[in-house]
Amino acid sequence: MGRVTARRRVLRFRDGAFSERPDTLAAEEPMEIRVGGRPLTVTMRTPGDDFDLAVGFLVSEGVLHHADQVAGIRYCAGATADGGNTYNVVDVALAPGVAAPDASLERNFYTTSSCGLCGKASLDAVRTTAAWTVAEDPLRTTPEVLSALPDRLRAAQRVFEATGGLHAAGLFTADGELLVLREDVGRHNAVDKVVGHALREGLLPLRETILMVSGRASFELVQKAVMAGIPMLAAVSAPSSLAADLAAESGLTLVGFLRGTSMNVYTGTERLQPVPGTDRLQPAPVG
């Protein structure tokens, strides 16, 4: 099994002097996802929760919706010339009757840590029809609950504390209780690991939950939330315009710049309870 962290000696300059010291880095290794023995994609990820990552990716692509659609998951032996197992090739066997991924979704290149959509033929290719709608989800929460999520996310990041180099995705209840957290060098991988865990536990769709992510809110992360039935996505940084467009179309609540007691609510403002003393939420100015 691959390591989550790696140690390296570094030359450090501080207070006008050089010194040598060991440093802990977040591990990054390629992982190939196969479906029924057929290669589908390669992603750069932090080893760990690899089976969750594989099936979470397939949820995002609209291939899987329920745990019983997976017949088995395994690491592929013989991945090296000498027949060894690198634990970097995962094969997902689909249950009988489950359609394999469309050939147009195959990605015969490396998906980078920062972008899981690079190489998509067109925007239409990622507007996958979701198995559930989030538009009518009854989730309601408060600004106070949301304001506490970044600190709760950071407090639960064990590997980040050692390396400072990982993204995180955490799934929370409307009251701010952490249900599951995953870390990875790629923010999209961290989300796939959360979603894959939920699928394997039979929890999809993830009704009345909040997905909190470190970094920005990209189009892909909105798509992944919608595909998992998550009605709210919150991020510590900015969303893209396309992310906001998809959130609005899908009925997802999108929160950005969630820092301290401030935040911008871009779509789905009805899910935030009014601040005491006011009769409604004041949306951020447009411009």
Side-chain angles (χ1 to χ4, degrees):
M1 187 74 67
R3 296 177 298 171
V4 177
T5 61
R7 298 282 282 175
R8 295 288 186 274
R9 292 198 67 79
V10 300
L11 181 65
R12 185 179 186 184
F13 183 78
R14 187 172 186 179
D15 297 328
F18 287 103
S19 63
E20 286 193 0
R21 53 164 289 179
D23 192 32
T24 302
L25 304 177
E28 183 176 27
E29 296 180 7
M31 188 182 91
E32 178 180 304
I33 299 174
R34 298 178 181 176
V35 177
R38 181 178 180 178
L40 179 64
T41 189
V42 176
T43 186
M44 300 300 296
R45 95 315 187 185
T46 300
D49 304 301
D50 291 334
F51 290 179
D52 289 345
L53 172 57
V55 298
F57 174 83
L58 293 176
V59 171
S60 298
E61 296 294 349
V63 177
L64 297 177
H65 309 296
H66 305 287
D68 60 9
Q69 293 178 310
V70 179
I73 315 171
R74 67 184 181 93
Y75 287 107
C76 295
T80 63
D82 61 2
N85 196 331
T86 63
Y87 295 99
N88 283 336
V89 180
V90 173
D91 190 17
V92 180
L94 302 180
V98 179
D102 189 285
S104 66
L105 295 178
E106 292 184 17
R107 306 177 190 180
N108 298 314
F109 54 84
Y110 286 91
T111 299
T112 67
S113 304
S114 60
C115 175
L117 286 181
C118 303
K120 283 285 191 177
S122 68
L123 185 61
D124 291 340
V126 295
R127 293 185 184 276
T128 314
T129 302
W132 309 282
T133 177
V134 299
E136 304 302 323
D137 193 289
L139 172 74
R140 294 294 184 273
T141 190
T142 66
E144 289 77 14
V145 168
L146 290 180
S147 294
L149 298 189
D151 286 343
R152 292 180 180 178
L153 189 75
R154 177 62 60 84
Q157 285 188 257
R158 292 177 296 177
V159 182
F160 180 89
E161 288 301 316
T163 66
L166 287 181
H167 285 287
L171 191 70
F172 292 86
T173 67
D175 295 327
E177 177 189 352
L178 178 62
L179 300 174
V180 59
L181 177 140
R182 293 290 185 265
E183 295 178 277
D184 200 277
V185 288
R187 65 175 65 86
H188 63 283
N189 286 339
V191 172
D192 279 341
K193 289 178 178 181
V194 167
V195 173
H197 165 81
L199 176 111
R200 297 177 70 200
E201 294 295 319
L203 301 177
L204 295 187
L206 289 166
R207 300 293 191 200
E208 297 187 72
T209 59
I210 304 165
L211 180 63
M212 176 75 213
V213 298
S214 60
R216 62 186 179 86
S218 65
F219 173 89
E220 183 183 28
L221 296 194
V222 172
Q223 182 210 9
K224 290 179 183 296
V226 170
M227 295 299 289
I230 300 170
M232 182 178 290
L233 172 63
V236 298
S237 192
S240 67
S241 61
L242 204 56
D245 289 345
L246 180 60
E249 291 176 13
S250 305
L252 176 136
T253 299
L254 180 61
V255 180
F257 292 109
L258 179 52
R259 302 169 184 175
T261 58
S262 67
M263 68 195 74
N264 289 347
V265 185
Y266 295 87
T267 62
T269 58
E270 70 279 359
R271 290 197 174 97
L272 279 181
Q273 301 295 338
V275 176
T278 67
D279 58 359
R280 66 187 181 91
L281 288 169
Q282 298 296 327
V286 176

